[in-house]
Amino acid sequence: LTGCFGTKEYSCQDLTMSVPFGMKDVSSKSDFSDFTFTLDSSKIAIFGLREKFSDLNGQNYDLKEYANLVIKANKNISGTPLPATRSNHDYVYFIYEAKTNDGLYKYLTGCYKGEDAFWMVQIAAKVTDFELETFLDYLDSVKIG
């Protein structure tokens, strides 16, 4: 259903992507201060985090290594999701579930490498509203630079 109403282009710093119409930028809310941007609607939320290479202890990580760092650093991720590649696209992604105060949510997380920073883009929805192919299309639309 999220794809039925069309998309619009969203930009933040050096990232541009297609997101569903109706997404509201809630980045200024204190609950989301850890993210570079946060978009919200009645069905999904999209979180973006930009991490400069210089903030990663001088390490030169590839995308899978970075995705594994994100997995290790996120205490909500249980089990061991493995980063997967998407054919003909320059990002890796992983999927996990986490319980929140509002119920069980499923997360699709894409990791991208830019000129001077990594981007993590995470799409969250209640398990019953999770649409993998639609959400992968949103990740496919991400352009860095």
Side-chain angles (χ1 to χ4, degrees), residues 15 34-38 46-50 119-122:
L15 176 143
D34 290 341
F35 296 98
T36 307
F37 71 85
T38 304
I46 301 175
F47 306 95
L49 179 65
R50 185 176 191 272
W119 274 96
M120 177 199 73
V121 177
Q122 193 170 60

Side-chain angles (χ1 to χ4, degrees), residues 28-43:
S28 62
K29 291 187 176 183
S30 62
D31 292 351
F32 307 117
S33 62
D34 290 341
F35 296 98
T36 307
F37 71 85
T38 304
L39 306 174
D40 195 23
S41 73
S42 61
K43 294 277 185 189

Side-chain angles (χ1 to χ4, degrees), residues 73-94:
N74 192 328
K75 295 175 183 10
N76 289 336
I77 298 177
S78 58
T80 312
L82 297 175
T85 56
R86 181 95 160 130
S87 295
N88 301 319
H89 294 282
D90 293 333
Y91 70 93
V92 299
Y93 70 93
F94 58 92

Side-chain angles (χ1 to χ4, degrees), residues 84-128:
T85 56
R86 181 95 160 130
S87 295
N88 301 319
H89 294 282
D90 293 333
Y91 70 93
V92 299
Y93 70 93
F94 58 92
I95 300 168
Y96 69 96
E97 293 181 359
K99 286 188 178 186
T100 70
N101 293 339
D102 295 332
L104 187 61
Y105 276 74
K106 199 168 205 176
Y107 296 80
L108 173 63
T109 304
C111 297
Y112 305 82
K113 191 171 187 176
E115 295 264 333
D116 64 347
F118 285 104
W119 274 96
M120 177 199 73
V121 177
Q122 193 170 60
I123 303 173
K126 286 189 174 184
V127 170
T128 54

Side-chain angles (χ1 to χ4, degrees), residues 5-8 19-25 39-44:
F5 301 106
T7 61
K8 64 181 180 178
V19 301
F21 274 133
M23 298 294 301
K24 292 184 176 74
D25 190 334
L39 306 174
D40 195 23
S41 73
S42 61
K43 294 277 185 189
I44 70 171

